[in-house]
Amino acid sequence: MKVKTRFIINEFGKLTQEHDDSREPRSAMIIPIKLKNRILGVVQILSLKKDAFTKQQLRLVESMMSQVALANNNAMLYEKAQQELMERTLAENNLKKSEENLREFAESVPDVLYRINYKINKFEFLSPVIERMLGYRVDEIIEDPYLFKKKIIYDEDLEFTERTILDYVAASDFEHPLEVECRMLKKNGEIIWVRDLIKFETENGKVTATIGAMSDITQMKIDEEKRRKRDERTISYQQALLELSRLK
């Protein structure tokens, strides 16, 4: 903000901003308002008297203008800080609202939603639905995703699961999510089937994070097993009937 102000000292020694154009000033002080070699403005003090100002008065006004420059700069910094604070507060409120909306959504769906940051090797988000699915609280899991994975994946499925993920990463086909089905151990020892749909995030070809959705597909697997056994019985009956027809 630049300032240009003109003051007139009349014949009575009074300071005023009014000026009688019919009488030209005979003395003047023109003082820049400077801050760190930057000109913010100029103040002019005029007098109708000749040689009206002394060096002492000049130094006094220069000192005053330095204070004006500092005050002006502090006011601008304060205004800027207030604006930044308002913007930061608004951004924090929006982020908080987004997190609340995400949490409400995550708790409303049956799947376990999560995000793992591999730069810090921690869950950045893990929906509380995990407790309903596996019996573990979020605070029991969130610190170390790798150890938790080894703990919950059924021993016979662990090697297959790890190999599937490694092969997917080696192929670098990150456009499509990876789908993995495996058995998991609940906290109470019960075995369930889980489908994990995983989307990989990368930087310069390196995996930096995964976003996933785990679904409990135990009932689907039970139904598939029932159909498989029913189909086997049907095939067995058909073969038996075929053998009997050949005996005739």
Side-chain angles (χ1 to χ4, degrees):
M1 181 177 68
K2 290 192 174 182
V3 179
K4 184 177 180 181
T5 306
R6 194 181 199 199
F7 295 96
I8 307 295
I9 298 178
N10 61 24
E11 62 269 28
F12 304 107
K14 301 290 186 179
L15 192 66
T16 176
Q17 287 184 305
E18 298 177 358
H19 176 46
D20 183 359
D21 291 333
S22 64
R23 303 179 63 186
E24 291 299 324
R26 303 186 66 188
S27 301
M29 282 196 299
I30 302 175
I31 302 97
I33 304 174
K34 296 193 302 182
L35 182 69
K36 296 181 179 179
N37 299 321
R38 184 165 61 95
I39 303 297
L40 301 179
V42 175
V43 170
Q44 300 179 62
I45 302 178
L46 310 175
S47 177
L48 299 175
K49 294 182 180 181
K50 185 178 179 181
D51 299 327
F53 308 111
T54 66
K55 290 183 179 181
Q56 183 179 1
Q57 289 173 328
L58 176 62
R59 287 194 294 270
L60 175 63
V61 176
E62 285 177 338
S63 176
M64 292 171 61
M65 291 308 102
S66 295
Q67 297 300 317
V68 169
L70 286 173
N72 180 76
N73 187 64
N74 290 339
M76 293 175 65
L77 290 175
Y78 177 77
E79 183 179 355
K80 182 179 179 181
Q82 289 294 104
Q83 182 65 29
E84 289 176 352
L85 179 61
M86 289 177 60
E87 292 174 356
R88 191 182 307 117
T89 301
L90 179 62
E92 289 174 352
N93 289 339
N94 289 338
L95 178 60
K96 184 178 180 181
K97 185 63 178 177
S98 298
E99 289 175 346
E100 290 174 354
N101 291 339
L102 177 59
R103 189 176 299 108
E104 289 176 2
F105 170 74
E107 292 175 355
S108 68
V109 298
D111 296 347
V112 175
L113 307 181
Y114 65 87
R115 186 177 193 275
I116 300 175
N117 184 337
Y118 289 108
K119 293 180 179 179
I120 58 176
N121 197 35
K122 287 185 178 181
F123 283 101
E124 285 188 330
F125 178 79
L126 179 62
S127 63
V129 180
I130 192 73
E131 187 169 355
R132 293 203 301 266
M133 182 180 290
L134 295 172
Y136 291 94
R137 300 188 312 274
V138 171
D139 61 352
E140 295 179 275
I141 304 167
I142 203 162
E143 287 301 321
D144 196 329
Y146 180 72
L147 286 179
F148 180 70
K149 180 183 72 172
K150 293 193 69 174
K151 182 177 181 179
I152 63 170
I153 296 180
Y154 194 60
D155 286 344
E156 294 179 10
D157 294 351
L158 181 59
E159 184 179 352
F160 162 77
T161 302
E162 291 181 337
R163 175 52 54 190
T164 300
I165 294 173
L166 289 173
D167 289 345
Y168 176 88
V169 172
S172 300
D173 183 20
F174 299 118
E175 183 178 352
H176 302 98
L178 172 65
E179 185 176 303
V180 180
E181 293 183 3
C182 64
R183 288 168 290 182
M184 290 188 177
L185 287 171
K186 297 178 67 171
K187 193 173 184 179
N188 62 7
E190 181 184 348
I191 299 173
I192 63 170
W193 275 95
V194 171
R195 175 185 292 138
D196 197 1
L197 191 64
I198 310 169
K199 176 65 177 177
F200 289 75
E201 295 181 359
T202 62
E203 290 181 9
N204 300 319
K206 183 179 180 181
V207 175
T208 56
T210 53
I211 301 173
M214 293 196 305
S215 308
D216 186 342
I217 59 171
T218 305
Q219 188 58 50
M220 185 189 75
K221 288 293 186 179
I222 291 173
D223 294 340
E224 285 179 355
E225 182 64 15
K226 288 179 178 178
R227 284 195 297 272
R228 186 186 65 80
K229 289 182 177 180
R230 184 174 60 248
D231 291 344
E232 286 180 351
R233 287 196 299 269
T234 300
I235 293 171
S236 177
Y237 293 153
Q238 290 174 344
Q239 288 176 342
L241 290 173
L242 182 60
E243 292 295 328
L244 289 173
S245 66
R246 289 174 178 173
L247 294 175
K248 295 181 180 179

